[in-house]
Amino acid sequence: MIKMKDIIRDGKPTLRAEAAKVTFPLTAEQKKLAEDMMLYLENSQDPKIAEKYHLRAGVGLAAPQVDVSLQMAAVLVPGPDNEILFKDVIVNPVIVSHSVQGAALSEGEGCLSVDKDVPGYVVRHDRITLRYDDVDGNEHKIRLKNYPAIVCQHEIDHLHGILFYDHIDKKEPFTMDDSDLIIE
Ligand code: NB4
Ligand code: NI
């Protein structure tokens, strides 16, 4: 079971590395990693389990965050009334197209690998077309918008050594384009 001690923090080189593409079929170890990453998200979103194991809540977790430099990330985005907006382990994900429209979470972003709070808007694409493989090697091409699109972009950044605060304007962290959407 993945716990906070297994998640590496800002300053460790793996978080700034370009992760390697995954080849299929996945090894038993890689399948286990995918399962463990998704289980972390499920556990972290269950208040009782999260409290018991001191898990910080997460809607995404990328392999480099557990010190594995592979292009793999678990995503579990809950919506209103027990709905799931997006759930999958995305392997070798690529944004094949995106909106010109920008969007940012109103509360800014946090990262399980970044202990300090870095306030500011992280402006990303509001809509993306995402191509990825699932753990069984099936190819998916899906359209995402708003919250799930933001989460996937945060995770894909991890696979390329980018952290959310890289996108925050140092001098004017809460300045954005008038046209950018704010997601509650
Ligand atoms: C990834 C997210 C940061 C911004 C937005 C949000 C949380 C993370 C990081 C975009 C992606 C993890 C991976 C939350 C959270 C809302 C949903 C459901 C019930 C609590 C949970 C709290 F925990 N970010 N944390 N940060 N990361 N929303 N929610 N709620 O997930 O570093 O790279 O359980
Ligand atoms: Ni993160």
Side-chain angles (χ1 to χ4, degrees), residues 65 110-113 154-155 158 163:
Q65 295 184 274
C111 179
L112 299 176
S113 297
H154 177 113
E155 301 318 322
H158 275 301
L163 296 172

Side-chain angles (χ1 to χ4, degrees), residues 44-55:
S44 81
Q45 292 183 24
D46 181 316
K48 283 214 157 90
I49 302 177
E51 184 185 34
K52 179 169 180 194
Y53 297 105
H54 308 285
L55 309 179

Side-chain angles (χ1 to χ4, degrees), residues 66-136:
V66 291
D67 212 8
V68 177
S69 198
L70 286 175
Q71 291 194 22
M72 190 190 282
V75 180
L76 176 53
V77 185
D81 34 65
N82 294 324
E83 202 189 339
I84 294 174
L85 296 181
F86 184 72
K87 179 181 185 177
D88 212 349
V89 175
I90 60 174
V91 179
N92 302 331
V94 178
I95 295 168
V96 292
S97 66
H98 62 78
S99 61
V100 172
Q101 176 75 65
L105 298 179
S106 62
E107 309 280 286
E109 295 190 8
C111 179
L112 299 176
S113 297
V114 179
D115 287 330
K116 61 180 176 177
D117 190 61
V118 186
Y121 290 132
V122 178
V123 180
R124 300 186 182 277
H125 310 301
D126 181 44
R127 293 162 185 267
I128 59 174
T129 301
L130 184 67
R131 197 220 67 89
Y132 72 93
D133 299 318
D134 63 28
V135 292
D136 298 313

